[in-house]
Amino acid sequence: MLPAPPPATLRLNIDRDALAANWRALDTLSRPGRAGAAVKANCYGLGVDACVPALRDAGAADFFVAHWSEVAAVAAHVPAASIAVLHGPINRAEAEYARAVGARPVINSLTEAARWLEAGGGPCDVMVDTGINRLGLAAAELADPLIARLEVDTLLSHLACADEDRAMNEAQLRDFAALRQQLAARRASLANSAGIALGPRYAADLTRPGLALYGGVPRHELAGAIRQVAFPQAAVILTRQLKAGQSVGYNATFRATQDTPTAIVSLGYADGFLRCWAGASLAYHGSALPILGRVSMDMVVLDASAAPDLREGDWIDVPYTLPEASAATGLSQYELLTILGRRFHAEQSGCARDAASAKASA
Ligand SMILES: *Cc1c(COP(=O)(O)O)cnc(C)c1O
């Protein structure tokens, strides 16, 4: 047995209070409906174990994942019956797994409807396509007798361009409203995060925010309501003095014109900090430290002139205000979240964590 490793040099601080506040804000904006929570892709990279309990405790009662492989981790925190699997049952094994664990498959085609009924059926959701042409039944297929045999909890559709002002939003809303009349579903659900910002007409009975829960701002209307949730930090692993004329990193793309104190930081593209961050700055107690040269797999080199006392082990803040980080890098806010690598150690702040640690020490 190896001893436990020393603390990680990358940490991802999750503000659970901000996450809970974001869910409550989106839930309020979803009235007269309620907000669920998209928790696919490990809660957009931020960690199911950190995020799902906070969402549940805030009041979320409906959870959406994409893959069947994502169900178990979420079901460790919430009832399996509150989880819907967007990718649906694409074979018998998935249909049987759904029946065994009690999560709801989202039926995306007539073939899947038949498969679900053959496996024994039970509560399911139905996705109808109103224009994104990805998953979902065609509108005309909703009238198929197979669909009438399903036990439909929620009728879903998905907006293609809710983050933009496009006529397609109204067209999808109108078509979805008509389709709702054709199917005896307990609930209807159309809006993602951006769809919620389009106003209460889009809220239906249930919304499915993902991005905005985790601090993303897909439309300006949400800017005041959404707080940053993810705060990545990386440790300094070495400081050194760069001499005038010396270069930094692969391909020597930066050359110092004067003696410059530098800090080598434990953060690279293998951690999701891609080369498009070159030219940006990280921060130490609010002082900007520009990145010098290329981003390496495991390292970036910073100009530490603004923090002359910087030492090995000091924590550097990665600027992860998502709208700004997206503008700086050209990556989408979704990509910035889901790309964060496996070397980050999750740290949680907020009441939920404090309550847990108070209990542990009591
Ligand atoms: C991912 C996803 C969502 C969440 O979308 P956001 O834009 O992150 O709010 C909602 N519905 C479906 C079908 C999705 O695939």
Side-chain angles (χ1 to χ4, degrees):
M1 255 284 271
L2 295 177
T9 55
L10 278 175
R11 54 191 195 196
L12 182 57
N13 302 284
I14 304 294
D15 184 340
R16 293 170 39 135
D17 289 344
L19 177 63
N22 290 345
W23 183 83
R24 285 191 295 266
L26 292 161
D27 186 51
T28 301
L29 290 169
S30 299
R31 296 298 153 80
R34 297 303 306 267
V39 297
K40 60 194 181 187
N42 196 27
C43 287
Y44 288 44
L46 302 189
V48 160
D49 292 335
C51 297
V52 170
L55 292 165
R56 174 202 64 206
D57 294 347
D62 289 276
F63 302 89
F64 295 88
V65 297
H67 291 227
W68 292 100
S69 63
E70 298 178 310
V71 171
V74 177
H77 304 289
V78 300
S82 68
I83 304 170
V85 181
L86 292 162
H87 281 190
I90 66 160
N91 52 44
R92 177 80 185 202
E94 291 189 351
E96 283 171 2
Y97 182 77
R99 298 249 316 155
V101 303
R104 290 199 314 278
V106 175
I107 302 299
N108 289 301
S109 68
L110 291 177
T111 314
E112 286 185 2
R115 184 175 292 129
W116 181 237
L117 290 166
E118 273 162 33
C124 64
D125 292 352
V126 167
M127 174 70 77
V128 61
D129 181 39
T130 51
I132 196 168
N133 283 301
R134 226 170 44 168
L135 293 179
L137 291 143
E141 292 175 321
L142 270 197
D144 194 284
L146 268 180
I147 301 300
R149 290 170 54 202
L150 294 175
E151 214 178 295
V152 184
D153 182 293
T154 308
L155 176 67
L156 312 173
S157 194
H158 194 50
L159 296 166
C161 12
D163 57 341
E164 296 179 303
D165 293 321
R166 297 265 292 263
M168 190 166 177
N169 294 327
E170 281 293 321
Q172 287 193 272
L173 176 64
R174 184 194 59 225
D175 292 350
F176 186 61
L179 292 166
R180 278 172 77 173
Q181 307 306 317
Q182 287 185 31
L183 188 83
R186 191 166 75 86
R187 300 181 294 183
S189 172
L190 177 64
N192 60 350
S193 300
I196 293 170
L198 293 175
R201 292 188 307 129
Y202 286 79
D205 302 312
L206 178 67
T207 60
R208 307 185 302 271
L211 181 71
L213 292 175
Y214 309 109
V217 182
R219 291 186 63 96
H220 66 87
E221 293 92 335
L222 291 178
I226 296 302
R227 288 162 57 182
Q228 186 174 343
V229 172
F231 297 85
Q233 291 183 304
V236 173
I237 46 183
L238 192 75
T239 58
R240 65 191 297 154
Q241 193 71 22
L242 195 65
K243 299 252 177 308
Q246 290 182 318
S247 68
V248 171
Y250 286 119
N251 308 106
T253 58
F254 173 82
R255 193 169 295 278
T257 54
Q258 57 189 20
D259 291 1
T260 307
T262 64
I264 322 304
V265 174
S266 172
L267 172 73
Y269 58 76
D271 307 302
F273 194 77
L274 301 188
R275 279 166 49 155
C276 52
W277 278 97
S281 294
L282 307 192
Y284 182 69
H285 293 306
S287 300
L289 308 181
I291 296 169
L292 302 179
R294 291 246 155 105
V295 175
S296 299
M297 184 184 294
D298 316 299
M299 281 174 267
V300 286
V301 179
L302 304 182
D303 178 340
S305 302
D309 299 333
L310 207 57
R311 292 289 171 268
E312 287 82 1
D314 286 343
W315 288 99
I316 303 295
D317 296 314
V318 185
Y320 238 63
T321 309
L322 292 171
E324 286 156 32
S326 174
T329 59
L331 299 173
S332 76
Q333 298 179 55
Y334 297 86
E335 290 169 314
L336 284 163
L337 287 170
T338 55
I339 204 171
L340 291 171
R342 293 163 175 264
R343 295 191 291 201
F344 281 93
H345 183 261
E347 312 261 338
Q348 298 165 28
S349 65
C351 294
R353 199 278 309 257
D354 298 343
S357 54
K359 212 163 117 195
S361 58

